[in-house]
């Protein structure tokens, strides 16, 4: 039985002092998140320092420059200093907060995650958190995050760890598996997106003045496959509104590939959401492009099948471009701002990070969705599995709310994915490839293959990404040996 | 599997409108709670009306007069109106909030609850929530609260119900057993008392400026037998402070009967608390006088044994006097105030009621301890049993936080009491006296008797209180028949 | 929590008297089972009477004639009388044993169960116990067996009920759902087949003199999807033998459609069995043709995919012919024997029926596999679900052995099917078609469709078989209404 | 989740060969069990060798002489050889069967177990398996049996281990805790005694010809606190008989100390049994003298209280004498027989040992009660705890039957004792005395003391028996330190 108990150390000292927050940012060279964070902090009531650690030191240095540059600007009301470091221990030593947001070469690996399964007829929309691509990504990432967790145990065991890396459920689970007393939470935007959408309905259908923060939901499930069974806007029950919409044309739209041309891969038409709500009576709370990888009926007819529900597939070319600095749309701003080539305006992101830190520092009580090991907050899902629900955050504590359970069919869908996740986590303890393959095999996307095709797909993915799988015992695997024998 | 799901009705309307709150108060003739409530409301940001219902109509009328009198005073910033009613349906019709705080003639019954077990060598300190007296009180009260729950289902099914009546666990559980969709919470002061005490330690030991609201605890258990395993003051971990105190003389005090002479029956020296903390590593969070009725080692040597730990026994004479209007110390104020015989000063109580209603109305996010059916908030205790933990309260919702579990020995102690409670609840469905006796027999206080003595004690209690046990099948009981045969 | 407790009635009387056994046979007109039973009984140490009840009275009468004819033969050592009845109450009144083996017009319905899903690309090998055809069969059969269970409660509540009707898990579960105190067991041959196969390996690999009765297995799962994790022949562990075979060519055979031409649809090449054993380390214990409907990877490439593993698909023409008296191969014997057109030789079947009755009558202790509600015999599968394990049968009792659990991936596969079964059972209580569709939708075979295709398939099946679905609220179904709307 | 899976090793070899059984007997110098075993084996269909190992080598040698002497007698139909050894590895090497039946100096320790608690007012009738004496005995014995289990893992991991040493639940549990794959069963006579008694009722009340083997029960619980909810004699339900007796004078007897004078300490009047049956509707299946230590109401009035129900207390003088060779009544036979001073007649005991070995060797299917880790055989009691139910024993396997659960109050009583047992087992892993004390403190007998008296009692027992508690960290215990401080 896991416990989520926090002991915050030295007698008489608070967990997080709002005037002196030390943040270690693993993956601090990020081109999008880090600049957002820097701006959010600059406008916050918090002061402190941020240590940026990255496998690519120059990215971290660039962000440190940017951070200090922002701090010097008059509109920055807070006081923050930034430094880059290439030493993980130095970054972590005594940190109050650790952010983890990094992974192996995404430009390359994401392409494999998307393209290789496609050869087997599996067209996941994102391929990032479940299904063949997602599971391989988990296999690459878990050992790395076990190392981070071990370093946190050594250098800042009481720190609050915010994991933003996908697959959030696998990765957060791995950190707890390595260091059960870690104070880690997995964070994700999908539920925030649902609340945005619900605020829109409150405005449109009830004429309320409403934004995301006015909407509260009772949310539960696993990351990217969460479900809502209560929703309110300023205390007004939105359920009758949703039930009315469900019967309207709004919830019966279908799309052709042409309809979606030119749309962003992030476009979300909620038609998968409505269909699942119609079938099971509870509302999914993640983007349709994620839902279809867990509720795999929608993948039955390949890309066209996805399109019909208004879902676009993330092309591997998009992935490659997005993650290649020189080509990504996102990459230029910081440098341009620093160089004075582009006008800078301090903006705030939609992130909850500052709100959570403020709550941990005792400045307010804040409720938001987080990923944590199940200690009872989700009924019917096994204890210890990382689940997503709301948590109440106060000075020095994050406590998940007991969100109840699911209609049986939904519980069944979720449990199946938990079985994959837990099998891979178990396998990762000893690097047991064959056991990981058992988790792979029972994944819903992969069940559309014969077992020997599944083995081949697995072997292809492993071969393409083997340099990132060094902690796995590839040599000792019978599954890989069988696959090899079949190919000869 | 119970669910705590709230659907608040009419499209577009909030659960609780802070400007128009309708409160039904069952037991509204109360001489202490009602005047406190009236004063708290008068100073709150809430407006509305209160309907006072009581078995003794003149008490309700007196309080209605007092309520309206207070409302007319200039220092009353809020706008509330009060009326007394002798119709339960009228009181409940469309209410947003229901308060339940009433029971059968306490002046008489409490005396039996205390005195009859005493004849058998069982000297409970309060005899109000467990042990022979507590179980009989439950047997009297459960049918009454089943009726209230049924009336709420009929007249105001969406109302938020605040139950203050002891035994809170039995009573709240009975209401959910009768009407599973009820939005009821059981409320009690004991955990607030622990937080007051912890605030004191924060002041004394850490020199902090602290009061109850600054202290947060992770609390869990059943009412009057709750336990804390995390405690902070403004984010500062109080655990090291408690561990230091545990080794000091402060936590090793013993008392003689003489030491306690003249002390209030409510005096709390925390020596039972410290001893249990020492034994099990988690801190009990209820007054010592309650704890000893659940952790019955302390009752082993009768009243002197209790005294040794600084606990006084509530004498039945005290009970009788307290609950007899003409003799109680508490009774005179309202009449004196209304008559102008005593100067009135608007004060606020230590109650959380207004805070909770404000949170339900969406005015703030509030965390406090409540009693609710277990949907996962307490690990290791059966689902559906009424447990006490913190809950997060927001517009239209009360969500218990998942508080984790217990060291095995503590779980074992709690589970035993849950078995008594659940057995009596099961028995109450059909008024099955013999089944209720099984729950009685396995109670820890009663296990100090032979089974036939226990039967006799049970029969004596039933005989003394039979007029309040009309919903039980006394005629059909073999246990009572056996007891009768033994006596002849 | 279900209990399997047997109280056998009148003081001083045994549950089953071996010299006076009364058997009620529902479906007693059967052309294969009944003649087998008659011959088995004729050679048994039991005496008594059999009442044959059938929807087609003349079949029952034919079998009664045959039964009495066999009884008169000199080689029949036992003493049995047979009578046909068209009154279910008469058949059941005071019976010691009830056999249930009947269903709605199989010649017609089985064809739909096989052919309609085929139009949607779902080629189940048998379509009889899970998948779209199996679920529809369950929907037809459950209400019928609820009625039988209710009649048993009325006319012979203490009788031992042997259910042979598929889908055994759904049907047996429905009988317990209707009458929880029923003494019913579901019986099936598949595990016996596994024991036959294991006996063969003991002979071939270890040179032992062995047949089925010498082989003991630890078996667990749900009917047609059971698994073995211990196997012995006369106390000799067969696991090392299985592990050696797994590495040999014996366990790596693949087939073309041509290879299988002319083979019986019952042919079993065990290649699915070996592949699943290889993947999960435990041995499936049902025919490959059943396994592939639960472990649906093997259905990924249609009929050819099945063939590759040595599995033939049961053609609907076979089904139609088999179940049409005039055309079935099985139908002629009884009439031919009675008419003296064919020589009769008393043979015994491979059935366990007589062994079980002998054990219930106290003549021996017998261990065999049965289907019963889970009271702990299978770990990790929910309580109350009908599971299959060994049971120990003695005078007046059938007690399942606690068989333990599964490797996680296998448990995951089984749980998913249990969720379908339990959803349909829940739905059948009120005839809720939409809820049944939820169970249908999460079936693994159906997850290869889009949700709207699944709905259409469901509607097609319901339309084709509606005359047998009268206990379901077809009118009130939104799912069927949606499907209809889509078609217009 | 524990599993009870047996893999019996070498390809092609049976677990137990009836013609060549190797038995290692730890405690082989026993004066009662060993001579019984020798005689049972001499008349069995089994042949083989027995290695007698004992801390007192001369006792083992005496029994070896006796064994071979019996083997030479003409009436000994089987062929067995006996040898004594003072090497545990030699005794165990390759054994098929291991018997464990030994403990530290019982003549001395049992006296403490009985007498020291008596000073605190705790008058257990036996003080051998629960309560203060029983728990201390567990603390002495657990480390010893951990060593045996470790030696079995090393020298004969596949052996079937029969543990006869009390407290059977603690000891068997400790062996599984040390070596989870051990094939150990705990054996005890109490349930056999219940079956004897039930056979008597079948004879007396139903006029049947019946002995123990004709009676089958559905039994479940923990050793010495097992319960029966089904009982039959040759298939005839005995429940109506028991219910009739319950109402008769037979089940309402009371005794004075004088009534019991001269009675054996083993005398069993079943009045505790009847009273518990009356209260809870299920029949306890252990001697009254054991039951009262688990259902402690009967201990409420000291020895007189026990006597009232017909229970005698085992005096420590009896214990001392019984276990002192020179004084015990049992000691003389073997020597007398060997010396020809007393006529020898080969008799068979009431033991099930030979039956179980015969079943393991494949000679029959045998059902009897055994103690095993809970894998589902007892519902409502935690997995892994050692529980007692029937098991079905066949060639190479022992499988507990799934016996169901309990009425809630009975489950509650049992769970409390399991919590003590599991706490002590947990504590024994590291020799953590303070944690063991937590298990001691929550024992029902000890809850009649104040916590500081309980501590003192614990310290007294530890002090008296410290030479047998070397594996416990007595030095590091705060509880013992506190107790010492209190005494000064």
């Amino acid at each position: 039985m896991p416990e989520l108990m926090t002991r915050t150390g030295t007698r008489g000292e608070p967990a997080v002092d709002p005037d002196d927050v030390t943040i270690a940012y693993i993956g601090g060279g990020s081109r999008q998140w880090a600049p957002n964070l820097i701006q959010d902090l600059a406008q916050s009531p918090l002061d402190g320092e941020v240590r940026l650690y990255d496998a690519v030191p120059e990215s971290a240095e660039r962000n440190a420059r940017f951070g200090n540059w922002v701090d010097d600007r008059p509109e920055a009301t807070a006081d923050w200093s930034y430094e880059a470091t290439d030493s993980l221990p130095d970054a972590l030593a005594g940190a109050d907060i650790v952010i983890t947001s990094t992974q192996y070469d995404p430009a390359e690996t994401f392409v494999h995650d998307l393209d290789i399964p496609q050869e087997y007829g599996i067209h996941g929309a994102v391929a990032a958190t479940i299904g063949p691509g997602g599971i391989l990504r988990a296999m690459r990432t878990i050992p790395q995050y076990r190392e981070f967790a071990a370093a946190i145990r050594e250098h800042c065991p009481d720190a609050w760890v915010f994991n933003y890396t996908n697959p959030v459920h696998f990765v957060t689970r791995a950190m707890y598996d390595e260091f059960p007393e870690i104070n880690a939470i997995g964070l994700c935007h999908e539920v925030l997106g649902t609340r945005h959408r619900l605020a829109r309905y409150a405005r449109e259908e009830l004429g309320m003045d409403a934004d995301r923060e006015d909407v509260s939901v009772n949310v539960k499930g696993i990351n990217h496959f969460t479900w809502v069974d209560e929703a309110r806007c300023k205390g007004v029950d939105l359920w009758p509104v949703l039930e009315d919409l469900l019967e309207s044309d709004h919830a019966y739209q279908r799309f052709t590939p042409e309809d979606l041309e030119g749309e962003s891969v992030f476009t979300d038409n909620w038609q998968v959401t409505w269909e699942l709500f119609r079938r099971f009576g509870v509302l999914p709370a993640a983007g349709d492009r994620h839902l279809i990888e867990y509720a795999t009926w929608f993948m039955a007819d390949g890309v066209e099948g996805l399109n019909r529900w208004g879902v676009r597939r993330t092309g591997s070319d998009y992935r490659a471009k997005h993650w290649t600095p020189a080509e990504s749309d996102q990459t230029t701003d910081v440098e341009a701002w620093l160089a004075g080539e582009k006008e800078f305006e301090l903006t705030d992101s939609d992130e909850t990070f500052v709100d959570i830190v403020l709550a941990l520092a005792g400045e307010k009580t804040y409720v938001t969705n987080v990923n944590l090991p199940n200690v009872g907050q989700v009924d019917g899902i096994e204890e210890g599995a990382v689940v997503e629900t709301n948590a109440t955050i106060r000075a020095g504590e994050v406590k998940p709310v007991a969100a109840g359970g699911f209609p049986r069919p939904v519980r069944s869908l979720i449990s199946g994915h938990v079985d994959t996740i837990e099998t891979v986590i178990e396998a990762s303890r000893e690097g047991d490839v064959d056991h990981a393959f058992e988790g792979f095999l029972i994944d819903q996307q992969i069940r559309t293959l014969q077992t020997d095709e599944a083995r081949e797909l697995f072997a292809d993915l492993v071969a393409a990404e083997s340099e990132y799988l060094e902690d796995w015992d590839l040599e000792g695997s019978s599954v890989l040996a069988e696959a090899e024998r079949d190919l000869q």
Side-chain angles (χ1 to χ4, degrees), chain A:
Chain A
M1 269 180 317
E3 289 283 334
L4 297 172
M5 187 181 296
T6 311
R7 294 272 179 265
T8 38
T10 325
R11 182 173 161 131
E13 284 196 14
V16 178
D17 177 347
D19 300 327
D20 182 17
V21 185
T22 305
I23 299 174
Y25 189 152
I26 300 178
S30 136
R31 291 184 166 266
Q32 179 168 16
W33 288 78
N36 282 349
L37 175 71
I38 286 164
Q39 296 181 68
D40 284 348
L41 289 177
Q43 304 168 77
S44 78
L46 300 163
D47 304 315
E49 89 180 87
V50 181
R51 300 166 190 160
L52 302 163
Y53 167 82
D54 204 289
V56 185
E58 48 274 29
S59 311
E61 279 154 22
R62 184 200 58 230
N63 284 342
R65 271 199 313 281
F66 177 64
N68 291 322
W69 178 84
V70 168
D71 187 63
D72 286 344
R73 296 179 65 89
E75 67 268 37
T77 52
D79 185 15
W80 285 89
S81 69
Y82 294 83
E83 69 180 310
T85 173
D86 58 1
S87 155
L88 184 58
D90 286 358
L92 294 177
D96 301 311
I97 306 284
V98 179
I99 296 168
T100 57
S101 180
T102 187
Q103 57 202 307
Y104 290 125
D105 190 351
E108 179 200 336
T109 55
F110 285 2
V111 172
H112 299 317
D113 293 346
L114 279 159
D115 287 355
I116 296 176
Q118 186 170 261
E119 295 168 23
Y120 290 76
I122 298 175
H123 300 81
V126 195
T129 65
I130 205 71
I135 296 169
L136 258 285
R137 185 173 178 178
M139 288 179 68
R140 298 192 303 268
T141 311
I142 289 168
Q144 206 179 4
Y145 278 74
R146 286 191 180 276
E147 280 176 37
F148 294 149
I152 288 164
R153 179 172 40 209
E154 192 177 344
H155 300 293
C156 52
D158 297 333
W160 288 96
V161 181
F162 293 58
N163 173 51
Y164 289 96
T165 300
N166 268 327
V168 162
H169 35 45
F170 280 101
V171 171
T172 310
R173 180 71 178 80
M175 296 179 91
Y176 274 93
D177 198 56
E178 187 67 29
F179 174 27
E181 289 78 26
I182 200 170
N183 294 323
I185 53 180
L187 291 168
C188 171
H189 293 87
E190 298 297 316
V191 178
L192 304 182
T194 299
R195 288 167 63 202
H196 274 299
R197 168 77 73 146
L198 293 172
R200 183 185 123 192
Y201 292 140
R203 290 192 303 269
E204 293 175 359
E205 304 294 319
L206 297 176
M208 296 178 78
D209 175 25
D211 66 18
R212 186 196 80 193
E213 284 294 310
D214 298 314
V215 170
S216 61
V217 291
N218 187 47
V219 64
K220 47 197 166 183
I222 56 172
N223 185 242
H224 287 186
F225 201 45
T226 41
W227 300 75
V228 158
D229 59 6
E230 296 179 60
R232 289 180 198 85
C233 182
K234 299 180 178 174
V236 173
D237 193 345
L238 296 179
W239 218 251
V241 173
L242 291 170
E243 288 177 333
D244 288 351
L245 282 170
L246 183 63
E247 298 307 311
S248 74
D249 290 347
H250 183 71
Y252 277 108
Q253 302 169 60
R254 295 297 173 270
F255 299 80
T256 64
E258 293 69 40
D259 291 340
L260 299 175
E261 219 153 280
E263 294 271 355
S264 153
V265 299
F266 296 102
T267 193
D268 194 342
N269 288 292
W270 256 51
Q271 295 308 311
V272 169
T273 298
W274 288 119
E275 175 72 359
L276 290 171
F277 182 34
R278 186 173 290 121
R279 291 282 68 86
F280 301 120
V282 285
L283 188 78
D288 281 6
R289 65 196 205 111
H290 292 300
L291 293 174
I292 62 102
E293 301 215 16
Y294 293 82
T296 52
W297 298 283
F298 304 94
M299 293 176 64
D301 303 323
V303 178
E304 250 175 79
L306 297 182
N307 290 170
R308 212 151 61 78
W309 302 92
V311 175
R312 285 205 54 196
R313 185 165 196 249
T314 307
S316 64
D317 50 343
Y318 171 85
R319 280 297 208 190
K321 187 164 162 228
H322 177 85
W323 288 98
T324 305
E327 301 187 33
S328 168
D329 307 342
Q330 301 171 357
T331 55
T332 45
D333 288 354
V334 165
E335 274 118 2
W337 287 328
L338 286 173
E341 293 165 5
K342 191 169 168 183
E343 195 179 359
F344 175 76
E345 194 182 353
L346 193 60
T347 54
D348 54 358
S349 73
D350 193 42
E351 298 294 328
T352 57
F353 176 82
V354 167
D355 292 302
I356 297 174
V357 177
L358 276 171
L360 286 172
E363 303 292 300
K364 63 174 174 178
T365 298
Y366 189 67
V367 177
T368 193
N369 58 301
V370 303
N371 290 270
L372 279 172
N374 193 13
V375 296
Q377 67 265 47
V378 180
D379 193 43
I381 300 298
E382 73 182 75
E383 296 221 335
V386 164
V387 292
E388 185 160 349
T389 62
N390 282 329
T392 301
I393 306 167
R394 296 192 293 169
E397 69 176 57
V398 176
K399 292 290 170 200
V401 303
F406 306 95
R408 179 193 285 274
V410 173
R411 187 190 51 61
S412 186
L413 299 174
I414 297 172
S415 289
H417 295 299
V418 167
D419 283 322
T420 288
I421 295 167
E422 292 296 312
T423 301
V424 173
I425 290 289
E426 285 162 24
S428 73
R429 285 181 200 136
E430 306 288 330
D432 181 341
V433 172
D434 293 353
H435 192 40
F437 178 65
E438 297 182 42
F440 184 90
L441 195 55
I442 63 172
D443 176 82
Q444 285 299 327
Q445 296 181 32
I446 294 151
R447 288 208 213 174
T448 57
L449 305 180
Q450 291 265 357
T451 54
D452 42 13
E453 289 171 325
R455 196 172 56 210
E456 224 181 287
L457 165 56
F458 184 71
D460 286 357
L461 283 162
V462 166
E465 310 188 355
S466 62
E467 69 182 293
Y468 307 114
L469 297 168
E470 286 184 358
D471 292 274
W472 293 88
D473 179 17
L474 305 182
E475 294 302 304
S477 160
S478 335
V479 167
L480 296 177
E482 283 173 43
E484 198 151 332
R485 193 167 48 185
D486 277 5
L487 293 175
Q488 284 160 359

